[in-house]
Amino acid sequence: MTSAPADERPNLLLITTDQQRRDTLGPGAPPFLRTPHLDQLAHEGARFDAAYAPTPVCVPARVSLLTGQSSLRHGMIHNGATSAVLPPGAPTLPARLAALGYATVGIGKMHFSPPRAHHGFEELILPDDYYRHASRTAVAAMRHGLGQNELYPGMATVAEAETLTSWLSEQAVEHIRHRRDPTRPMFLWLSYSKPHPPLDPPEPYYSMYRSAPIPEPVVGNWAGDDAPAAFRRQRHRGSFDLLDADTIRAARAAYYGLITQIDYNLGRVLAALQDIGELGRTMIVFTSDHGEFLGDHGTGNKVFFHEASAGVPLIVRPPAGAATFPAGTVVHTPVTLADVLPTFVRAAGGSVGADVDGSDLVSLAAAPPASRLVVGIAGGDGGPPGLPYYIAVTDGRHKYIWYPEGPAEQLFDLSVDPGERHDLAGAADLGAWRERLVRAVRDGGGERYLVDGELPAVPPMGDTPAEQRATAWPGYHTDAFHLDVRH
């Protein structure tokens, strides 16, 4: 049965995962990894192989998606309350689309604070609804004891059909088939919580890759005891460097299983659009909020601007017949999550102003610019008070990272070293890169992160690895107290 809305503009579907590395799609993905539906979207649209999270942390990344702004401009460089940077009435992506006549709904992990802040959505369905209102079996979905930042493998304590991934997919299917307003085009943000830890896929995904040739972690020549102090501190706080090879291998197998579970579930969502005759007229964007080190460089989690952590998958599939580029286009120009908002707003017939940093990805895929810079930044507790952990810049070929603590610097040539195994900082004149980064920060509205117009620098804090390991471990959780803001 088909039901075309009176408004013939395209539906807009944003699909995001949480903590999915860029090298799980495209040429960098392990050949055994099964992602048929995402692969098909890339065949039909464009895949961006140099996509980045401006700040590879959950909340700042989502604020960039919501605002179309770099972290330099919106100022959220660590997890915190979204209400601090998004006051009521802020021109978020759903608010802009609602003003253009779209029906807007968010389904899944939003990470808003307070959690029920709508930030422009007309309707929100959150993981909290799953935990509070699902069956008693579903409430026990994380009763294995593994936490939100632990790099240990586990298995779901419920069947696949009772997992949060399956439940969110079903909510999207129900909305598409039965709850949407058929007189208005739809904007749906479907936000999965996986493959973010706990790494607990259900069967058959738990066993799917346990015998696969799992790639070994990449370890740079810089990643030993003389790594930048901020980087070493995170490694020690999570004791990621103490994980043995078998645990890392099993964790990676579980991680890949969670990704395939999401992909297979997406088949249900795409089928729902197909069943009502709306798949062809729906623009689909798929991405993630950040990556995961997953043992690379001897660490886990995210935060830092290395490829494993800051690189995200990104696919844009325009409505049928609306693409201005060949199907299957691959774009190597660096892009960021801030580019998602102008892409959707333009598809909806609107425009953005100077308050938006991003660019329309459809136009960029059709005519990539000769050069483009992306700036990364992150901070938070555990580092020098009032300073970011790092500020970084990449042009898609080289990447330069400045760490205020120390200070320390890194330079990578991504064209020949995509795994960032070789830090070139010790053999290069970095003065031009420092100047380039200062200009990029200033031009991007980040003057607040400079000190007297220069990159900030402080001596090492001097805390020992033992002291760093003794800090509060952020992994614990309880299945009786589930709040998105803690994840």
Side-chain angles (χ1 to χ4, degrees), residues 181-232:
D181 179 351
T183 68
R184 292 189 290 164
M186 170 188 69
F187 169 60
L188 168 60
W189 182 0
L190 173 56
S191 176
Y192 290 103
S193 298
K194 297 295 184 179
H196 192 298
L199 303 178
D200 57 350
E203 288 289 17
Y205 307 103
Y206 174 80
S207 298
M208 188 170 284
Y209 300 119
R210 288 180 65 80
S211 299
I214 303 295
E216 294 290 328
V218 172
V219 180
N221 64 354
W222 53 269
D225 292 339
D226 57 349
F231 186 89
R232 283 185 281 117

Side-chain angles (χ1 to χ4, degrees), residues 41-365:
L41 291 178
H43 296 330
E44 298 176 9
R47 190 184 72 230
F48 294 79
D49 283 357
Y52 291 92
T55 295
V57 184
C58 292
V59 177
R62 292 162 198 272
V63 172
S64 286
L65 283 169
L66 285 169
T67 62
Q69 296 178 347
S70 72
S71 301
L72 292 175
R73 187 183 300 270
H74 63 61
M76 177 73 76
I77 64 170
H78 54 79
N79 278 343
T82 53
S83 57
V85 293
L86 296 174
T92 62
L93 174 58
R96 290 172 187 264
L97 293 175
L100 290 168
Y102 275 70
T104 62
V105 59
I107 297 175
K109 180 178 179 179
M110 297 293 126
H111 222 318
F112 298 163
S113 180
R116 293 288 169 180
H118 278 227
H119 291 316
F121 282 109
E122 296 173 358
E123 180 182 357
L124 280 180
I125 299 172
L126 303 178
D128 182 59
D129 300 316
Y130 163 80
Y131 288 98
R132 289 191 303 112
H133 299 303
S135 69
R136 289 177 59 85
T137 303
V139 171
M142 288 198 298
R143 203 163 282 176
H144 41 53
L146 292 172
Q148 300 290 333
N149 289 300
E150 297 181 57
L151 201 59
Y152 285 86
M155 184 192 292
T157 55
V158 297
E160 196 282 332
E162 295 172 323
T163 61
L164 177 58
T165 292
S166 181
W167 186 85
L168 293 174
S169 303
E170 186 61 25
Q171 294 302 309
V173 168
E174 284 294 304
H175 183 84
I176 290 167
R177 286 180 172 164
H178 305 299
R179 296 201 301 261
R180 69 187 182 94
D181 179 351
T183 68
R184 292 189 290 164
M186 170 188 69
F187 169 60
L188 168 60
W189 182 0
L190 173 56
S191 176
Y192 290 103
S193 298
K194 297 295 184 179
H196 192 298
L199 303 178
D200 57 350
E203 288 289 17
Y205 307 103
Y206 174 80
S207 298
M208 188 170 284
Y209 300 119
R210 288 180 65 80
S211 299
I214 303 295
E216 294 290 328
V218 172
V219 180
N221 64 354
W222 53 269
D225 292 339
D226 57 349
F231 186 89
R232 283 185 281 117
R233 186 174 295 107
Q234 170 168 293
R235 172 196 286 164
H236 295 148
R237 292 183 76 187
S239 291
F240 298 118
D241 56 321
L242 302 183
L243 294 172
D244 64 275
D246 287 343
T247 298
I248 291 291
R249 186 188 182 284
R252 288 181 164 223
Y255 182 84
Y256 293 140
L258 290 168
I259 290 170
T260 295
Q261 184 193 6
I262 290 170
D263 183 279
Y264 284 17
N265 270 267
L266 281 180
R268 300 163 57 196
V269 179
L270 300 176
L273 286 167
Q274 177 179 269
D275 290 346
I276 64 169
E278 296 290 308
L279 180 59
R281 62 182 298 272
T282 299
M283 167 176 271
I284 301 172
V285 174
F286 171 83
T287 191
S288 188
D289 57 351
H290 49 73
E292 157 68 63
F293 278 105
L294 209 60
D296 281 357
H297 308 302
T299 195
N301 209 285
K302 54 267 187 181
V303 178
F304 291 92
F305 208 66
H306 301 96
E307 295 293 284
S309 171
V312 294
L314 178 59
I315 298 169
V316 175
R317 197 220 69 167
T324 54
F325 52 81
T329 289
V330 177
V331 181
H332 300 288
T333 301
V335 299
T336 81
L337 298 179
D339 296 316
V340 170
L341 181 147
T343 302
F344 277 135
V345 170
R346 179 167 180 177
S351 60
V352 298
D355 62 326
V356 169
D357 298 314
S359 300
D360 170 34
L361 291 167
V362 173
S363 300
L364 193 148

Side-chain angles (χ1 to χ4, degrees), residues 72-73 357 437-447:
L72 292 175
R73 187 183 300 270
D357 298 314
L437 178 55
V438 167
R439 287 196 303 271
V441 170
R442 186 181 295 118
D443 294 345
E447 187 77 30

